[in-house]
Amino acid sequence: MTADQTTRPPRHAQRSATALSLPSPRAGTWRCAALRVLLLLPLALACWLVPASVDAQEWRYRIRPGDTVWDLASAHMRQDIPWERLQSHNAIEDPLRLVPGRVMSFPVAWLRQQPAQARVIALSGDVQASRDGSFGDAFPAVEGLQLGSGAALRTTPAASLTLAFADGSQLQLKGDSELHLDRLSAYGATGMVDTRLRLPRGRASSKVTRSRGPASRFSIDAPGMMSSVRGTEFRVGSDGIRSRSEVVEGRVMVSGGGRSVAVDAGRGTALDADGRPRTPIPLLAAPDLSAWPREIMRMPADLQWTGVPGAVAYRLQASAHDDFRTLLQDSVVADARARFDVRSEGLLHVRLRAIDAHGLEGFDASATVHVAAQPAPPFAIAPTDRGDAAGPRPRLRWTAADAAGMRYRVQLDADGTFNAPLVEASDLRRNEYRVPADLPPGGYAWRVGAIDGDGRHGPWSDAMRFTLRPPGEGPGVDAETADGTLQVRWRAGDAGQRYRFQLSRDASFAHVVRDEMLDDNSIALPGLRAGTWYMRVRAVDSDGYEHPYGPAQVAKVGCLPCRILAGAGGAALILLVL
């Protein structure tokens, strides 16, 4: 029979097969029983002689009503294998009358194989894909992308993605990792798949569907180590030189350097200096997260926990999905504290695991936290909590956000409840605000919130309580003459401040002779006429607010004859403070 005849045979062939397979009723029951024994004897003898390893290479199928040998052969076997071989292999008397519930055996070598594909079901951050594995054709990966054998993926440090395979198994590729899909194939409609992956560097975690037959395979080859499973949950990591494997559920066979070890659930192994997997050791226990907050009002937030004995580091991960298919944060810290910093809001899933001295990562501890609406509030710069500020119109300052289009809102209150704020402003473009009206000295509180480019109002910051002092005097001035020039100086103010200097002939400054805005805390006044001069200085903040003037001071410049009598460079100067 040719390969084209592996489908259902014609009617006359069916009748012929039926006639040949049924013993004559007149032959008697002993002939029928003897024929059955003769037909089953080779199969029984084969089962007795063939070792268990051969049995492991056969796929078992339980017959359903309506099944025929040729239909099953057409569905599962290679075209070059005639259906009669399947009938003979299973000692089937009548190919038209298969008994429902009976188990048929298919040699794996006879099964049809076809290419399978992996699909990107979740992605976060920048991930590059390559269909030929060289990355010469690199392109951005997107959700829904399907890749076949030979393809590869690379993630940036802040990226992650999850792949789904033909049998439902999933793999999550972590940040700063590279994965090659060396072989993806499926055995017809049997449900068995052959998935072989390679992880040159980085980390990956897998949830592998339980094996549906002897040919099912899922393996990850890392530098010096191969991890093979048939239905389990495990993690593989490598820095490009040394590799490790941790088993959360099931069992994994880990091979390297000519040695293989079975790693059971709750244990892990890493390569030793000879490139062979060490004897598996228990994974560290999950940390205690009972002290973690259940609501976080702003980012970043500091999280702390009780240290795990034997831990040298910890891995903190956060995701918007309970299965952690993508990661919003994936960071390693040395101490039992970490900065939680994600650009998200609402209900988030967070997990933490301890890392031992071999680099093996332990069991996960998971928690859910509710992150208040973003954007997060800025941090206050001045006045600080329990600090003070000079009146009568204090300037409120906070950190600037780096996001485009960010605006701000502020409130100032006397009692800190903000039920009826004394001052309220919104849609502020700068990260500072000057109270528009004079306030009496006393206690106040203020807070600030951010508004993102889409108009979303983030939560308020904590209230900053401060004391408003009476306005202080501005700086006084000192003066001296040199070569006929009056040199005037005063105390420098705060960073970023400028100075307004005024010179007048009268103490009331009704007739100001010079009025200058200066960057430096000094000014030279050459050629002043003899007589009495009045001077004063005030500090000017970067937002243009002018502080009170300092005390006015008077300088009496001598007459010209006095200067001549005093010498070429002398001058008579009397400096008085009014």
Side-chain angles (χ1 to χ4, degrees):
M1 179 172 289
T2 67
D4 294 334
Q5 293 173 306
T6 58
T7 56
R8 182 187 295 272
R11 277 283 183 200
H12 67 275
Q14 296 180 28
R15 289 195 298 271
S16 175
T18 304
L20 290 174
S21 63
L22 293 176
S24 169
R26 292 173 299 191
T29 38
W30 68 269
R31 292 182 59 190
C32 183
L35 182 58
R36 286 193 176 94
V37 170
L38 290 175
L39 288 173
L40 294 176
L41 183 59
L43 179 61
L45 187 60
C47 292
W48 180 72
L49 293 175
V50 176
S53 60
V54 175
D55 285 342
Q57 296 303 312
E58 296 212 347
W59 175 60
R60 312 289 186 183
Y61 174 80
R62 190 173 298 277
I63 297 172
R64 300 174 182 176
D67 282 340
T68 64
V69 174
W70 38 84
D71 285 341
L72 294 175
S74 176
H76 304 298
M77 292 172 53
R78 299 187 344 238
Q79 291 187 355
D80 59 336
I81 306 295
W83 63 267
E84 290 89 350
R85 293 187 64 183
L86 182 63
Q87 177 184 5
S88 174
H89 182 75
N90 287 275
I92 296 174
E93 300 175 14
D94 186 354
L96 290 176
R97 297 180 181 178
L98 300 183
V99 179
R102 177 182 173 182
V103 176
M104 289 181 62
S105 297
F106 291 71
V108 169
W110 293 2
L111 295 175
R112 182 175 71 252
Q113 291 190 55
Q114 70 268 6
Q117 291 199 323
R119 183 169 58 91
V120 177
I121 61 172
L123 179 146
S124 176
D126 182 14
V127 180
Q128 294 292 305
S130 170
R131 295 196 180 276
D132 62 7
S134 68
F135 290 98
D137 63 338
F139 59 93
V142 295
E143 290 189 15
L145 173 67
Q146 296 198 17
L147 299 168
S149 297
L153 293 157
R154 279 179 182 167
T155 58
T156 57
S160 63
L161 89 158
T162 298
L163 289 173
F165 299 94
D167 64 344
S169 298
Q170 294 185 8
L171 176 142
Q172 185 182 69
L173 188 65
K174 305 304 195 312
D176 196 20
S177 301
E178 182 175 325
L179 181 73
H180 290 256
L181 312 182
D182 285 348
R183 180 168 183 176
L184 301 177
S185 62
Y187 288 88
T190 66
M192 294 186 297
V193 298
D194 188 358
T195 303
R196 305 184 193 185
L197 312 173
R198 182 162 43 92
L199 186 74
R201 62 178 178 84
R203 297 177 299 111
S205 60
S206 305
K207 290 185 178 180
V208 182
T209 301
R210 189 165 297 279
S211 171
R212 297 183 181 178
S216 292
R217 178 173 181 176
F218 189 101
S219 67
I220 300 179
D221 189 3
M225 173 187 286
M226 174 176 286
S227 301
S228 301
V229 300
R230 298 183 66 189
T232 187
E233 181 178 347
F234 72 110
R235 303 187 291 255
V236 173
S238 175
D239 58 5
I241 301 176
R242 297 289 176 86
S243 302
R244 63 185 185 277
S245 184
E246 304 129 14
V247 181
V248 179
E249 179 182 310
R251 170 180 281 194
V252 174
M253 291 302 299
V254 177
S255 304
R259 182 188 183 193
S260 296
V261 296
V263 185
D264 292 321
R267 293 179 174 267
T269 183
L271 296 181
D272 60 20
D274 297 329
R276 302 190 306 167
R278 295 186 176 97
T279 300
I281 60 175
L283 301 180
L284 294 180
D288 179 8
L289 306 185
S290 59
W292 276 20
R294 290 298 177 256
E295 186 171 18
I296 295 176
M297 295 303 298
R298 62 175 181 265
M299 291 290 175
D302 291 326
L303 300 177
Q304 299 184 24
W305 56 92
T306 302
V308 175
V312 299
Y314 299 87
R315 184 178 296 280
L316 175 68
Q317 296 177 328
S319 176
H321 311 283
D322 57 3
D323 60 358
F324 289 83
R325 70 188 70 169
T326 59
L327 299 177
L328 297 171
Q329 180 174 343
D330 187 4
S331 56
V332 174
V333 295
D335 301 319
R337 64 180 62 200
R339 173 152 286 197
F340 184 45
D341 190 6
V342 298
R343 296 293 180 261
S344 187
E345 60 187 58
L347 190 65
L348 296 184
H349 303 272
V350 187
R351 66 186 179 190
L352 182 75
R353 66 179 74 114
I355 304 174
D356 66 15
H358 302 289
L360 297 175
E361 302 187 4
F363 286 102
D364 290 326
S366 300
T368 55
V369 297
H370 185 271
V371 178
Q374 300 299 300
F379 287 100
I381 296 177
T384 58
D385 192 33
R386 309 302 175 185
D388 58 20
R393 291 192 288 156
R395 180 168 61 159
L396 313 178
R397 294 187 295 141
W398 54 89
T399 55
D402 56 3
M406 191 70 72
R407 292 161 294 154
Y408 308 97
R409 55 184 181 141
V410 295
Q411 288 182 336
L412 185 142
D413 196 16
D415 58 12
T417 63
F418 299 98
N419 294 326
L422 297 175
V423 177
E424 189 167 16
S426 187
D427 203 32
L428 303 174
R429 304 287 176 172
R430 301 180 60 184
N431 60 315
E432 62 181 18
Y433 177 72
R434 177 72 63 177
V435 174
D438 291 352
L439 296 176
Y444 296 91
W446 73 284
R447 62 183 183 178
V448 60
I451 307 172
D452 67 15
D454 296 326
R456 293 189 306 173
H457 288 58
W460 290 107
S461 68
D462 293 337
M464 301 289 112
R465 298 181 181 275
F466 69 98
T467 300
L468 187 65
R469 295 182 281 102
E473 287 187 330
V477 299
D478 295 319
E480 64 180 7
T481 59
D483 298 327
T485 298
L486 185 63
Q487 299 286 346
V488 183
R489 295 180 179 85
W490 54 89
R491 173 179 48 85
D494 297 333
Q497 284 185 329
R498 303 179 70 198
Y499 310 94
R500 186 170 187 176
F501 174 83
Q502 287 187 339
L503 181 68
S504 175
R505 276 292 195 179
D506 62 282
S508 65
F509 289 85
H511 301 89
V512 175
V513 176
R514 295 188 67 168
D515 188 350
E516 295 191 32
M517 192 70 70
L518 305 170
D519 293 325
D520 298 325
N521 59 319
S522 65
I523 187 173
L525 302 173
L528 284 181
R529 291 180 299 166
T532 302
W533 296 93
Y534 299 88
M535 299 171 291
R536 63 182 182 180
V537 176
R538 74 193 315 173
V540 181
D541 287 342
S542 59
D543 63 349
Y545 176 74
E546 299 186 0
H547 290 272
Y549 279 107
Q553 294 181 329
V554 60
K556 293 186 176 182
V557 179
C559 62
L560 179 58
C562 297
R563 290 201 297 270
I564 295 174
L565 291 174
L573 173 65
I574 300 176
L575 187 64
L576 302 173
V577 179
L578 294 182

